[in-house]
Amino acid sequence: MIHVVAIITAKSGQRAQVLEAFAANRTAVLAEAGCIEYVATIDAAGMPPSRGTFGDDTFVVVEKWETLDALKAHAAAPHMAAYGAKTKEMLESRVIHVLSPV
């Protein structure tokens, strides 16, 4: 199994629009062969800010894939290219961690 943690930071005030595009694309991703989990997360409400807080412009995508090949196919999928093109100008940064359980 492959785990992915993608930290996405939108330009100031644009996180909601990026999350709307994410939500519109999510069904297509979940239908991909090998996709186990694909969910956007934000800081939990009611928690005080800390060094580990992401803030109002950032969200974290938590993904699980059956294999690395499934993840590679996901990255090359046409709907992911369309999502990337739609959100590119709204993003400040994107850091993707691809991990294997031990």
Side-chain angles (χ1 to χ4, degrees):
M1 183 183 313
I2 299 297
H3 297 254
V4 177
V5 176
I7 302 168
I8 314 296
T9 301
K11 291 180 180 173
S12 183
Q14 295 191 25
R15 182 175 77 178
Q17 292 92 325
V18 178
L19 284 171
E20 285 177 19
F22 177 92
N25 191 45
R26 186 170 184 259
T27 300
V29 174
L30 290 172
E32 291 179 46
C35 182
I36 299 168
E37 181 178 4
Y38 188 76
V39 63
T41 63
I42 59 172
D43 291 322
M47 292 298 297
S50 71
R51 288 182 19 190
T53 302
F54 287 104
D56 293 338
D57 295 321
T58 300
F59 65 100
V60 177
V61 180
V62 178
E63 308 175 35
K64 290 183 184 173
W65 296 89
E66 289 178 4
T67 65
L68 187 55
D69 285 340
L71 174 61
K72 289 178 181 178
H74 161 69
H79 58 268
M80 290 308 295
Y83 168 76
K86 184 174 186 174
T87 60
K88 182 179 180 180
E89 296 302 317
M90 294 185 271
L91 298 184
E92 188 68 39
S93 68
R94 187 174 66 130
V95 178
I96 301 172
H97 304 271
V98 179
L99 311 162
S100 294
V102 294

